[in-house]
């Protein structure tokens, strides 16, 4: 099985722009979660989707949004980019929305640099 | 609310020596606990997890961890370090009903020296 794929792998944007990141989960997985990783704040949960519904949301401003499509692929969008949004954005997929039952598999991440 | 504390942002061991990475958690409900490893420019890989049952959990690459409720700890150990173990290790916690949301510790960078 192919792993979790994230596109693009690297991205450079300027302040004020918006960006869309894509995540394709492992085939058959219906749960997708997003995390932001920065040197200062570490790994922080953004949101989780299961069967096109947002099930969980982290403590991020409304500029951060996401969605999931019927094929389980997910996108996250960040509007009005700020310098502090520079980070590695990780996507994880699982076959179950119950965290104790199935392993979450992480993608390689999208590294976003905001100038 | 749940939280995880990893003691020691950097740990250095000699090849062949015991690896001990510390993790303490705080949770108001029975937690699920995880250890992940991250190699440079890669995502996270699950080493092991504790959900219920046996408190000594064995994972991949010779790692294991023991859930100690009385000490609220979930330390990661490996009897003999290998150069390939050099990476960053993250302890994480989730809870019943919390879905797949993970709360991570700040990570421990493991260095393995010859």
């Amino acid at each position: 099985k192919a792993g979790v794929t994230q596109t693009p792998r690297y991205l450079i944007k300027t302040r004020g722009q918006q960006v869309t990141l894509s995540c394709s989960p492992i085939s058959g997985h219906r749960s997708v979660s997003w995390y932001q990783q920065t040197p200062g704040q570490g790994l922080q949960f953004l949101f989780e989707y299961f069967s096109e519904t947002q099930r969980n949301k982290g403590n991020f401003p409304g500029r951060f949004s996401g969605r999931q499509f019927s094929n389980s692929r997910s996108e996250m969008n960040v509007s009005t980019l700020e310098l502090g949004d520079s980070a590695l954005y990780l996507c994880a997929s699982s076959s179950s929305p119950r965290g104790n039952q199935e392993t979450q598999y992480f993608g390689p991440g999208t590294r976003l640099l905001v100038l | 609310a749940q939280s995880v504390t990893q003691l020691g942002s950097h740990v250095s061991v000699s090849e062949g020596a015991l690896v001990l990475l510390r993790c303490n958690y705080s949770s108001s409900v029975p937690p699920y606990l995880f250890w992940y490893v991250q190699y440079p420019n890669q995502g996270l890989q699950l080493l092991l997890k504790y959900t219920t049952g046996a408190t000594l959990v064995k994972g991949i690459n010779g790692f294991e961890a023991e859930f100690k409720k009385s000490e609220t700890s979930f330390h990661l150990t490996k009897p003999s370090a290998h150069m390939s173990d050099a990476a960053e290790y993250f302890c994480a916690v989730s809870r019943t009903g919390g879905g797949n949301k993970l709360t991570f510790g700040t990570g421990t960078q493991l260095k393995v020296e010859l």
Side-chain angles (χ1 to χ4, degrees), chain A residues 8-28:
Chain A
R9 291 292 311 277
Y10 303 92
L11 204 50
I12 300 175
K13 292 286 187 179
T14 56
R15 277 181 299 175
Q17 287 187 310
Q18 75 165 19
V19 67
T20 299
L21 311 182
S22 180
C23 171
S24 293
I26 291 172
S27 177

Side-chain angles (χ1 to χ4, degrees), chain A residues 9 31 35 37 43 45 48 56 96-97 99-104 106-107, chain B residues 32 34 36 38 41-44 46 49 51 90 98-102 104:
Chain A
R9 291 292 311 277
S31 172
Y35 292 84
Q37 185 176 23
L43 281 154
F45 173 80
E48 177 189 1
N56 260 317
S96 168
N100 61 322
Q101 292 190 349
E102 296 293 336
T103 297
Q104 287 191 78
F106 281 79
Chain B
Y32 305 136
F34 307 79
Y36 283 85
Q38 186 177 35
N41 299 316
Q42 293 187 27
L44 301 171
L46 181 68
K49 65 179 178 182
T51 54
F90 293 93
N100 284 313
K101 176 184 176 180
L102 295 168
F104 285 91

Side-chain angles (χ1 to χ4, degrees), chain A residues 62-88:
Chain A
R63 300 185 297 107
F64 292 81
S65 63
R67 60 177 175 169
Q68 187 180 34
F69 301 95
S70 59
N71 62 357
S72 296
R73 190 177 69 85
S74 178
E75 289 181 348
M76 66 163 284
N77 183 276
V78 188
S79 63
T80 319
L81 284 165
E82 300 177 359
L83 295 179
D85 297 332
S86 294
L88 180 67

